[in-house]
Amino acid sequence: MAGGGQAAVSFLTRIAKVAAGIGVAASAASTSLFTVDGGERAVIFDRLRGVLPGTESEGTHFLVPFLQKPFIFDIRTRPHSFSSTSGTKDLQMVSLTLRVLSRPDVDRLPEIFNSLGLEYDEKVLPSIGNEVLKAVVAQFNADQLLTERPHVSALVRESLTQRAREFNIVLDDVAITHLAYGPEFAQAVEKKQVAQQEAERSRFLVARAEQERRAAIVRAEGESEAARLISEATTIAGNGLIELRRIEAAKEIAGVLARSPNVSYIPAGDNGQMLLGLNAAR
């Protein structure tokens, strides 16, 4: 019985050693393998050599346990939005919201990891976005941001793409999604409209005065010409023309008076004068 017990103990000890060996081997295998999913890249940090220059693509890869450590980067395009309040060329405050689609330059991932780390986009994009927005908006008046919005967006896109390239970040799209003016701009627009209306009214008054002046000149010229013609006719025909005009005027006056029911004619004597009597209404 004693020999059988020792054999059992020995057998169990061998099984324990084998299990321990398998466990150590499995642990070593798990620590020496890592997986890179689709849309990702891995940068390897080596405790002896630092960040290795290359990157690891999708799949399962080997590394030296306890000496190397993988850092996974998401290389898919991701959206980022940030807002900025900037001053225009005519000193108006404008609030803008910018949306960018960014991704890292895959060939430069080791440099990005060394200089910025895994959160490279959150560290860089908001700061350079505000910088570019302020620089571009300052080149335009407040109203030009609306009338020339495609040109403004193109300048923002070009400038921001160049600045992001300095940090090894690729921008696939840049767009201004929101544009709002402050209350001061609304007041300035209202004052400008009132000033334009006043200017239009002033121009109208000047034009009307000019037309009246020209009409007065034409009337004066016509009266002068009529007086000249009457003078010439009087010189040629004598006072006959004046007598004719006086008779025509007297006939017109007599006709007007005859049509009035409140006028009566009373002879005044041999001198031919008449007394006009107006019947008072009762």
Side-chain angles (χ1 to χ4, degrees):
M1 292 295 294
Q6 291 180 353
V9 171
S10 177
F11 177 73
L12 292 176
T13 302
R14 287 197 297 269
I15 292 178
K17 291 181 179 180
V18 171
I22 294 175
V24 170
S27 176
S30 64
T31 56
S32 63
L33 296 175
F34 68 96
T35 301
V36 179
D37 295 330
E40 296 179 344
R41 291 292 187 276
V43 173
I44 305 300
F45 173 75
D46 190 290
R47 297 181 185 276
L48 300 178
R49 295 176 294 171
V51 178
L52 300 182
T55 60
E56 301 294 341
S57 59
E58 296 92 339
T60 301
H61 305 274
F62 292 94
L63 53 77
V64 179
F66 309 110
L67 288 181
Q68 294 180 338
K69 182 179 180 180
F71 290 90
I72 307 299
F73 277 85
D74 187 351
I75 63 171
R76 290 168 290 193
T77 300
R78 295 191 296 176
H80 300 273
S81 296
F82 45 87
S83 300
S84 174
T85 300
S86 306
T88 61
K89 188 177 180 180
D90 54 353
L91 304 181
Q92 298 294 332
M93 300 307 296
V94 182
S95 297
L96 300 102
T97 300
L98 196 65
R99 178 192 57 80
V100 299
L101 299 178
S102 67
R103 56 184 174 86
D105 187 347
V106 176
D107 296 333
R108 304 284 182 149
L109 284 179
E111 298 180 19
I112 295 176
F113 181 75
N114 274 329
S115 59
L116 299 172
L118 293 176
E119 302 297 331
Y120 62 94
D121 46 1
E122 298 297 334
K123 296 178 181 178
V124 173
L125 292 179
S127 60
I128 65 174
N130 284 321
E131 173 192 347
V132 169
L133 278 177
K134 292 181 183 298
V136 173
V137 170
Q139 303 176 25
F140 297 89
N141 292 330
D143 55 345
Q144 291 178 318
L145 295 179
L146 292 176
T147 58
E148 302 182 20
R149 184 163 181 170
H151 181 47
V152 175
S153 297
L155 285 179
V156 171
R157 184 182 304 109
E158 179 181 357
S159 301
L160 191 57
T161 300
Q162 292 179 354
R163 290 287 287 128
R165 269 295 180 186
E166 298 176 6
F167 297 93
N168 302 313
I169 299 175
V170 179
L171 299 184
D172 293 328
D173 184 58
V174 179
I176 298 176
T177 59
H178 180 70
L179 174 64
Y181 295 99
E184 297 82 3
F185 178 74
Q187 297 176 359
V189 170
E190 183 178 356
K191 291 180 180 179
K192 182 178 180 180
Q193 291 176 345
V194 172
Q196 289 177 344
Q197 292 175 356
E198 291 293 334
E200 290 293 335
R201 183 173 180 274
S202 299
R203 283 195 291 269
F204 170 74
L205 293 177
V206 170
R208 187 175 67 177
E210 179 66 17
Q211 293 295 331
E212 291 177 351
R213 184 185 67 82
R214 293 181 181 178
I217 293 174
V218 172
R219 285 196 301 269
E221 291 177 350
E223 293 174 357
S224 176
E225 182 66 18
R228 185 183 64 80
L229 294 176
I230 292 174
S231 177
E232 291 178 355
T234 302
T235 302
I236 296 174
N239 294 330
L241 179 61
I242 296 176
E243 290 296 328
L244 177 62
R245 293 287 186 266
R246 186 176 65 81
I247 293 171
E248 291 176 351
K251 289 175 61 178
E252 183 178 355
I253 294 172
V256 172
L257 295 177
R259 289 191 296 272
S260 177
N262 296 326
V263 177
S264 60
Y265 300 88
I266 301 175
D270 297 336
N271 54 7
Q273 297 179 352
M274 292 189 304
L275 176 63
L276 300 178
L278 298 176
N279 298 326
R282 296 181 180 179

